[in-house]
Amino acid sequence: MTATVPPPSPGEPIADPQGRVELPPGELPDDGRFVNDDLLPVPVARRRWTTYNFAALWVGMAHNIPSWLLASGLVTLGMDWKQAVLTIALANLIVLFPMLLTGHAGPKYGIPFPVLARASFGLRGANLPALIRAAVACAWFGIQTWIGGQGIFVLLDRIFGGWAEVSRIGGQPWTLWLCFVLFWALELAIIYRGMDTLRRFENWAAPFVIVGALVLLVWISVKAGGLGPLLDQPSKLGWGADFWPVFFPSLMGMIAFWSTLSLNIPDFTRFGAGQRAQIWGQSLGLPTTMTLFALLSVFVTSGSQAVYGAAVWDPVELAAKTDNVFGLIFALVTVLVATVSVNIAANVVSPAYDLANLVPKRINFRTGALITGVVGVLCMPWKLTSTPELYIFTWLGLVGGLLGTVAGILIADYWIVRRTVLDLGDLYRPGGRYWYANGWNPRAVLAFAVGGVLAVGGSHSAPGKGPFPEDGLIPFLKPLADYGWAVGLAASLVLYTALSLPGRRSTVV
């Protein structure tokens, strides 16, 4: 007789040679409270993203107006260009580490971030980190859309003229509102077509944006007759006692720039062809692209200083100075592609899944994306961007600390407690091993609370610049406030591990 391989037991996961896991057809629970088509594991046959797809995703996300301004902002704090680029490169190497750790579950199990969070927080408790992440993304979506709309408005005004000399609505020209609405609709039209459309868009958007940035560098270099005097300027801080008090808070700020994606990167890696694709794709795409973009930012800004007598930090404002219509149109398309690329990938995909996780029976991925778009407008991004002290230094700083706390719990649970082994079916099944106490894991909630207090408890504001006391909400925690993301991650990781490991509790796979 010929030996045969016995079929898997009912509910037993199937693993392919690359270690990717899926359940046999018909074995996944269909409880509408915790399951819909967008939250189910991606079948192995549809996990097709390659190293290039992930690298292109990061190239497309990194090349945007806010990241362009990072290096120039550090220079204004007193750093020279070498210190600014070093800070950005180091920050992105650091944030890459949790990115790869949380991203591992994507290719292996095909699950998005809110489903991965069920293993540590519980089937219901996962809504806590998911909604925090979704709130940040919705606000960022609105802000990026407003910035993109402003860029289009400025460039169209230079091409056609008179766009700013029109009647105003809510204190802004109606033509600016039109650019904002059209840009908003374009983004939602792309994401509404699904993740495969996003993958194809990122594949061609990534090289296009790189070419656009290089063209801007060549143009300003030709006009300047060189890269200008900025590269020769010494640091105002030196490398001594004045440098480090600026360096460490700046480093945390640069890390916080992508701390959101360090949580929900499984939303993308779940489509990966394997671990090699996501590891190499992210490693090649994130730190290298951000460092290159920082260099381009400094070089172009230095050229603008030589040409115009003052540094022009905003690439849209700089591009608007050309009198060449073709150059203006090219800059317009580049700004549009760059902003759409980052905003869809970074700020729509995550809340779409997070909101679907909240009410799977009523909200799918497309509905969640539309809700994100609406909430992004209701956040009134034109007001948020007009008060950076309130948004960037207060609200976003708070959320950054909380996101680091969630990342610490996810990493501790998946890597230290469970050693990357999950029960795929129970991630969707009430009453299973991830049900804990009525759907909530008290250990994760406690670790989140403690880590969150340590991360944001010292939040403080300069007089008249924010809602917090000058000495901090909890004065003795004030020294930790500038390191919120790192403090939250480390504290929650250690505490969750300490609470979960003794005795290898029965809820641990």
Side-chain angles (χ1 to χ4, degrees):
M1 295 180 62
T2 303
T4 59
V5 178
S9 303
E12 182 180 342
I14 303 171
D16 72 356
Q18 296 189 58
R20 297 177 298 178
V21 177
E22 64 179 349
L23 290 178
E27 291 296 337
L28 278 170
D30 58 359
D31 190 319
R33 295 174 298 167
F34 304 103
V35 179
N36 68 22
D37 290 341
D38 296 306
L39 295 176
L40 288 174
V42 175
V44 166
R46 287 181 49 214
R47 300 179 203 174
R48 299 191 296 259
W49 285 32
T50 64
T51 296
Y52 177 79
N53 295 139
F54 286 112
L57 176 75
W58 274 113
V59 171
M61 288 197 296
H63 288 162
N64 60 85
I65 295 173
S67 64
W68 178 279
L69 299 175
L70 288 179
S72 57
L74 293 178
V75 171
T76 63
L77 293 176
M79 295 186 183
D80 63 18
W81 73 271
K82 295 183 292 295
Q83 292 171 330
V85 172
L86 171 66
T87 303
I88 291 173
L90 181 59
N92 284 281
L93 284 173
I94 292 173
V95 80
L96 176 66
F97 186 63
M99 201 87 67
L100 296 177
L101 292 179
T102 54
H104 184 278
K108 183 171 183 178
Y109 295 102
I111 54 177
F113 156 64
V115 174
L116 173 61
R118 293 176 180 180
S120 51
F121 282 85
L123 268 70
R124 286 174 171 159
N127 286 315
L128 172 62
L131 290 180
I132 291 174
R133 174 65 183 94
V136 181
C138 288
W140 264 118
F141 173 81
I143 287 172
Q144 287 275 13
T145 303
W146 181 250
I147 290 174
Q150 283 181 313
I152 295 171
F153 170 78
V154 169
L155 293 173
L156 288 179
D157 183 56
R158 285 285 289 117
I159 294 174
F160 299 110
W163 276 56
E165 308 302 323
V166 296
S167 58
R168 293 177 172 262
I169 301 175
Q172 304 287 353
W174 69 263
T175 46
L176 175 55
W177 291 112
L178 176 64
C179 291
F180 172 63
V181 171
L182 291 177
F183 191 58
W184 174 84
L186 172 65
E187 293 175 311
L188 291 186
I190 294 174
I191 197 62
Y192 191 77
R193 296 182 63 86
M195 289 295 290
D196 278 340
T197 300
L198 173 62
R199 175 176 59 86
R200 292 192 294 269
F201 179 81
E202 295 291 352
N203 283 348
W204 70 264
F208 183 88
V209 174
I210 291 177
V211 171
L214 291 174
V215 167
L216 188 59
L217 174 62
V218 171
W219 169 70
I220 198 65
S221 298
V222 170
K223 292 183 70 70
L227 292 176
L230 187 60
L231 300 184
D232 297 326
Q233 291 184 355
S235 170
K236 298 177 183 178
L237 305 173
W239 290 93
D242 293 333
F243 174 70
W244 302 111
V246 174
F247 169 75
F248 285 110
S250 298
L251 182 68
M252 289 298 105
M254 299 303 104
I255 290 173
F257 193 76
W258 289 123
S259 64
T260 49
L261 267 293
S262 68
L263 289 186
N264 74 284
I265 195 64
D267 294 342
F268 302 96
T269 61
R270 68 193 296 230
F271 297 95
Q275 296 299 338
R276 181 185 297 271
Q278 74 103 2
I279 291 172
W280 280 105
Q282 293 202 80
S283 299
L284 293 172
L286 172 58
T288 55
T289 301
M290 287 296 290
T291 302
L292 172 63
F293 215 51
L295 282 168
L296 286 173
S297 171
V298 172
F299 291 164
V300 172
T301 302
S302 68
S304 71
Q305 186 174 25
V307 173
Y308 301 108
V312 182
W313 308 107
D314 188 338
V316 174
E317 181 184 348
L318 180 61
K321 291 182 176 293
T322 182
D323 295 323
N324 184 288
V325 174
F326 174 79
L328 284 168
I329 294 175
F330 182 79
L332 172 65
V333 174
T334 302
V335 168
L336 186 149
V337 171
T339 308
V340 168
S341 179
V342 66
N343 214 16
I344 291 176
N347 301 318
V348 176
V349 173
S350 172
Y353 284 126
D354 296 337
L355 292 169
N357 187 71
L358 181 64
V359 191
K361 187 181 296 185
R362 299 184 181 276
I363 302 177
N364 59 19
F365 179 82
R366 288 182 170 87
T367 306
L370 294 176
I371 293 173
T372 299
V374 172
V375 174
V377 174
L378 295 178
C379 289
M380 295 187 290
W382 49 92
K383 290 187 177 294
L384 290 176
T385 53
S386 68
T387 56
E389 292 83 9
L390 175 63
Y391 178 70
I392 297 175
F393 300 116
T394 301
W395 185 78
L396 191 57
L398 278 173
V399 173
L402 296 178
L403 292 179
T405 304
V406 173
I409 294 171
L410 293 182
I411 293 170
D413 182 80
Y414 183 70
W415 284 96
I416 301 175
V417 177
R418 304 186 189 280
R419 310 293 174 85
T420 76
V421 177
L422 299 176
D423 186 315
L424 192 54
D426 273 4
L427 288 172
Y428 301 88
R429 184 179 295 117
R433 68 181 71 242
Y434 308 118
W435 189 241
Y436 301 108
N438 199 29
W440 290 79
N441 183 1
R443 299 191 297 279
V445 174
L446 177 60
F448 175 78
V450 173
V453 169
L454 292 175
V456 305
S459 298
H460 56 91
S461 303
K465 297 293 185 180
F468 300 120
E470 185 177 0
D471 293 331
L473 287 172
I474 305 176
F476 74 89
L477 293 179
K478 182 179 179 180
L480 301 180
D482 290 333
Y483 311 92
W485 180 84
V487 170
L489 186 146
S492 63
L493 186 150
V494 171
L495 180 56
Y496 184 85
T497 302
L499 292 172
S500 301
L501 278 181
R504 299 289 293 174
R505 298 175 185 274
S506 61
T507 52
V508 176
V509 177

